[in-house]
Amino acid sequence: MSAITPAPEHRATAFGADVLHVEDLRVEYVTSAGIATAVDGVSFTVRAGERLGLVGESGSGKSTIATALMRLLRPPARVAGGRIVVDGVELQGLSDEAMRRMRLATIALVAQGAINSLNPSARVEDQILDGLVDHGRAGRREQRRRVAEVLRQVGLRPEVARLFPHQLSGGMRQRVCIAIAISLRPKVLVADEPTSALDVVVQHQVMETFRAVQDDLGAAMILIGHDIGLMAQFATRVGIMYAGLLAEIGETRKIFGNPLHPYTRLLIASITTMERKTELKGIPGLPPSLIDRPTGCPFRDRCPFAMERCAVEEPLPRPVDDRLVACHLY
Ligand code: SF4
């Protein structure tokens, strides 16, 4: 499969400087059945203050991108090409120690499932202090002041500092993960399915907390998930991923107001809402194998608009109506 050539992206200018730049990123998994290309030439930038949502079905490559951004991919995964630049620093060239210093201080991850991210045998304050101490931030008194401050920022009382994870609700645990992630005021926040294990009301509250702390930090944010309705509410831009490729990327209101890529249209048609009066439509078929991906457009077997050209030529992203779309219809 050919890598996608980055094309200029048309965007509003209300945000700050680019702090995250991903160019032609390619990630592979080496398996006994062959090489699976999980991310195939993905490019995007995120500015300070922006929230870019990456959305797609399981296996579309979105969580692999999150892991690559933190440089936490482990064999059998490998970065096979491309660049990731965070706050002007190219991650691929960094030593392990330099990358360790970048994590939390410059780029921080809130991973899926807070219960798995937190140490069950450590109090909340010790888990927040870990990062502060490891990065040599201030004295003990200043560190404790910062613990109280980040707990307050995520809507938790100071007493929570003395509790263990099992004494907290799911929403509180997720807030603790956010508190840890913002403790060193990173410039980029990566949230990988941050609310997947929470009920709808708590999801919304946690996302509001995310929005508030990100606004406060002025950080760039990557929000990864499969809940396109949640993305519509919280992301300022959305990238629709399919089989390791970016099918469409642009401002949220444009994409939801007028989806162009056939996959985006079907994804949006599959959202359940209280107001929906039309029949709910699923997307027929399954994504292609990432090991033997067919030639042409990876969506062609499921696409109602597929034509002859789609079977032989991979569509590259091109600017259409203030966004990028990878589809031969445009
Ligand atoms: Fe459908 Fe062809 Fe567009 Fe792919 S390139 S989404 S198959 S119309």
Side-chain angles (χ1 to χ4, degrees):
M1 291 289 154
S2 63
I4 290 177
T5 307
E9 211 179 308
H10 298 255
R11 285 191 282 152
T13 53
F15 298 102
D18 287 349
V19 283
L20 174 63
H21 179 68
V22 174
E23 187 181 312
D24 205 11
L25 180 66
R26 188 180 162 96
V27 181
E28 298 173 341
Y29 288 83
V30 182
T31 75
S32 55
I35 292 176
T37 305
V39 178
D40 191 3
V42 166
S43 301
F44 57 82
T45 54
V46 192
R47 295 186 215 183
E50 267 193 316
R51 285 183 293 278
L52 172 67
L54 291 180
V55 63
E57 292 166 271
S58 294
S60 60
K62 52 194 192 310
S63 288
T64 298
I65 290 178
T67 315
L69 291 177
M70 301 303 299
R71 226 181 75 175
L72 288 172
L73 289 170
R74 297 287 175 264
R78 66 183 184 198
V79 173
R83 301 168 70 214
I84 298 172
V85 182
V86 178
D87 195 28
V89 177
E90 182 153 351
L91 300 194
Q92 257 45 41
L94 289 181
S95 67
D96 289 347
E97 174 58 18
M99 186 63 222
R100 196 180 67 77
R101 309 295 313 169
M102 288 276 287
R103 291 191 199 105
L104 213 59
T106 310
I107 180 167
L109 171 72
V110 176
Q112 286 186 41
I115 193 69
N116 301 323
S117 318
L118 296 173
N119 178 347
S121 61
R123 293 183 198 275
V124 166
E125 66 180 342
D126 292 328
Q127 304 202 41
I128 300 173
L129 281 170
D130 258 358
L132 298 174
V133 172
D134 188 53
H135 283 77
R137 292 299 161 97
R140 202 68 177 163
R141 181 180 295 186
E142 172 57 21
Q143 288 164 357
R144 295 212 175 271
R145 191 195 60 73
R146 182 69 184 143
V147 169
E149 185 180 51
V150 291
L151 286 177
R152 181 187 53 72
Q153 278 182 287
V154 299
L156 294 173
R157 289 173 287 110
E159 302 86 87
V160 170
R162 301 294 300 155
L163 301 180
F164 291 92
H166 72 269
Q167 295 174 293
L168 308 174
S169 68
M172 291 168 84
R173 283 196 288 259
Q174 199 55 287
R175 285 168 195 273
V176 170
C177 291
I178 299 171
I180 293 169
I182 64 168
S183 59
L184 289 169
R185 298 190 175 90
K187 299 206 170 155
V188 179
L189 276 170
V190 182
D192 187 6
E193 307 259 14
T195 59
S196 56
L198 305 175
D199 69 54
V200 176
V201 175
V202 179
Q203 262 187 6
H204 201 272
Q205 292 167 346
V206 169
M207 288 311 301
E208 284 296 351
T209 301
F210 247 128
R211 176 159 38 200
V213 297
Q214 183 231 356
D215 281 349
D216 185 56
L217 285 175
M221 184 168 175
I222 297 273
L223 182 56
I224 292 183
H226 59 267
D227 185 339
I228 195 162
L230 205 66
M231 290 293 174
Q233 288 176 288
F234 290 98
T236 51
R237 272 191 311 139
V238 178
I240 308 292
M241 292 209 57
Y242 188 78
L245 299 161
L246 262 178
E248 183 166 2
I249 181 167
E251 283 180 53
T252 306
R253 61 187 176 85
K254 295 223 171 207
I255 291 204
F256 282 83
N258 180 27
L260 295 180
H261 194 286
Y263 179 58
T264 315
R265 291 189 217 170
L266 289 168
L267 261 188
I268 291 175
S270 69
I271 301 175
T272 323
T273 65
M274 299 289 278
E275 299 80 33
R276 175 178 283 283
K277 300 216 171 24
T278 53
E279 193 188 340
L280 192 63
K281 290 184 189 146
I283 305 176
L286 293 169
S289 160
L290 298 176
I291 294 177
D292 289 315
R293 215 167 59 191
T295 55
C297 173
F299 190 56
R300 67 183 158 90
D301 288 344
R302 307 170 78 184
C303 179
F305 304 100
M307 49 194 146
E308 238 171 69
R309 183 182 176 195
C310 306
V312 289
E313 192 183 329
E314 184 175 313
L316 299 178
R318 67 189 81 240
V320 187
D321 187 24
D322 286 342
R323 78 200 68 181
L324 294 178
V325 188
C327 173
H328 292 314
L329 289 176
Y330 306 96

